[in-house]
Amino acid sequence: MLYIPFSSYIPKKSLGQNFLQDTKIINKIIHFIKPNHDHLLVEIGPGLAALTHLICNYVDYLVVIEIDKKLSDFLKKYSFSCKVLIYERNVLFFDFKKLFFQENQLLRVFGNIPYNISVQLIFHLIKFRHFIFDINFMVQKEVADRLMALPGNKCYGRLSIIAQCYYNIYFGFDISPNSFFPKPKVYSSFIKMIPKLNPLLPFNKMNILQYITSFAFKKRRKMIRNSLKGIFDENTLFLLNINPDLRAEDLSVQEYCKLSDFYFSKLHNLNPKFYKFIDNS
Ligand code: SAH
């Protein structure tokens, strides 16, 4: 049973409003998140509170970030709202650092987030990885496949490499369009992402990783001796112990990070021997 009747609200397509209406799935998500009153949970896009009102049974305090004023006004009316701190904001510009009050209480971010912002949000959260314990998100199935794909897989690409550089990613379960109102056109997946304590590449080199992967994946089936010719010569690839005959889709995340590290050192005009000492932030 849902807390607020759908009949009193017209969903906004532009804000990716597909509300969960399947009690079984809602409970499965709660079970997957495993909320506990020691945790500081942060929900993105509570909408009509399908997840919110149940999560409130497990915690003393919940932070929610909702862009739609009408929905945040809805939330304020319910009994559980005394436990909820509402930020009426666009999550893509939200500074998560300000929610971090105690050393021993990392944030647990979760939500059934709009498909059109999921990738941007996952990237935005990388900036706050030191304050986050885990991220539990509903994403489009195709995005989950790309996030988790390994080299050689047809879904492996820039998103897989950048996300896996900063997060350990775990698959939860798939969700059919029938679990939502209105029904989306595609299947969804629920996933967990845990920021890596020691990412494969310091954050300040992420833009280089983006640059190199965009270069490589423009021609994913070509050997990198050709596709990366403009930025790495063959000798450099040998020096880095990377086989120039490989294709963009076959290189591991570690190999892309090695290339980015090297390129960074080149940009800074340093001796490549010392590239690993540049920055450990
Ligand atoms: N969690 C609810 C609603 C999901 S719909 C449920 O599962 O039923 C997605 C929600 O994200 C909506 O409430 C929408 O208003 C909100 N939203 C969309 N874009 C947002 C943004 N940029 N920042 C914060 N919330 C956003």
Side-chain angles (χ1 to χ4, degrees):
M1 193 200 73
L2 274 159
Y3 241 59
I4 298 160
F6 288 134
S7 52
S8 56
Y9 183 79
I10 300 166
K12 297 187 181 81
K13 212 174 165 187
S14 63
L15 293 179
Q17 293 179 349
N18 296 99
F19 300 110
L20 272 166
Q21 58 163 358
D22 180 337
T23 321
K24 250 196 196 159
I25 289 295
I26 293 172
N27 285 321
K28 203 166 170 180
I29 292 173
I30 307 285
H31 184 74
F32 182 76
I33 298 174
K34 293 194 173 46
N36 175 305
H37 67 92
D38 291 336
H39 303 153
L40 177 48
L41 280 115
V42 183
E43 182 174 7
I44 316 299
L48 296 173
L51 299 169
T52 324
H53 82 277
L54 285 177
I55 292 278
C56 280
N57 293 333
Y58 296 87
V59 296
D60 304 327
Y61 180 75
L62 171 70
V63 176
V64 304
I65 303 166
E66 172 59 66
I67 199 169
D68 188 334
K69 179 168 173 13
K70 205 164 173 190
L71 290 178
S72 61
D73 287 346
F74 260 136
L75 267 182
K76 288 174 197 155
K77 293 188 188 138
Y78 287 87
S79 57
F80 57 81
S81 71
C82 59
K83 285 190 176 181
V84 181
L85 174 63
I86 304 174
Y87 285 94
E88 206 182 289
R89 305 279 159 76
N90 182 345
V91 67
L92 295 176
F93 301 108
F94 191 80
D95 176 9
F96 283 79
K97 190 167 176 241
K98 70 176 173 202
L99 301 178
F100 183 71
F101 306 117
Q102 295 174 35
E103 270 314 306
N104 60 354
Q105 205 176 37
L106 292 176
L107 310 179
R108 301 199 61 209
V109 181
F110 73 98
N112 165 20
I113 54 170
Y115 296 146
N116 58 342
I117 65 163
S118 54
V119 171
Q120 242 180 306
L121 181 55
I122 287 167
F123 283 7
H124 177 63
L125 289 170
I126 295 175
K127 286 180 226 149
F128 305 102
R129 67 203 177 283
H130 299 303
F131 310 108
I132 295 175
F133 174 72
D134 66 356
I135 298 168
N136 297 270
F137 275 166
M138 172 104 69
V139 294
Q140 201 174 323
K141 181 167 171 44
E142 183 240 323
V143 170
D145 290 345
R146 284 165 54 209
L147 284 166
M148 292 182 301
L150 299 174
N153 185 297
K154 68 178 186 335
C155 301
Y156 183 69
R158 296 184 66 206
L159 180 59
S160 334
I161 294 160
I162 296 164
Q164 291 170 28
C165 180
Y166 296 100
Y167 297 109
N168 288 316
I169 308 172
Y170 306 94
F171 175 77
F173 45 92
D174 288 332
I175 302 162
S176 128
N178 296 330
S179 298
F180 304 86
F181 173 82
K183 281 187 202 174
K185 289 197 177 71
V186 291
Y187 265 74
S188 308
S189 302
F190 210 82
I191 56 165
K192 187 186 287 293
M193 308 179 73
I194 301 188
K196 288 186 174 169
L197 288 178
N198 296 307
L200 302 176
L201 190 72
F203 181 65
N204 65 340
K205 297 176 193 170
M206 183 172 136
N207 55 354
I208 294 181
L209 182 62
Q210 283 176 315
Y211 172 68
I212 291 173
T213 49
S214 77
F215 216 90
F217 279 89
K218 262 185 212 143
K219 295 168 187 159
R220 62 182 290 138
R221 305 279 302 154
K222 274 204 164 180
M223 287 183 202
I224 54 166
R225 73 165 80 239
N226 298 318
S227 60
L228 289 180
K229 208 176 186 168
I231 37 182
F232 296 105
D233 58 32
E234 222 174 297
N235 284 342
T236 307
L237 295 174
F238 280 124
L239 177 77
L240 296 173
N241 209 8
I242 297 176
N243 180 353
D245 293 344
L246 289 176
R247 297 164 172 162
E249 59 187 10
D250 297 321
L251 249 64
S252 68
V253 177
Q254 285 82 353
E255 285 171 322
Y256 277 109
C257 291
K258 219 197 271 188
L259 287 170
S260 307
D261 240 345
F262 183 86
Y263 194 76
F264 184 91
S265 66
K266 207 168 87 172
L267 279 185
H268 286 71
N269 219 5
L270 293 172
N271 184 333
K273 265 195 205 156
F274 300 118
Y275 68 84
K276 64 179 170 203
F277 302 115
I278 291 169
D279 184 348
N280 292 313
S281 65

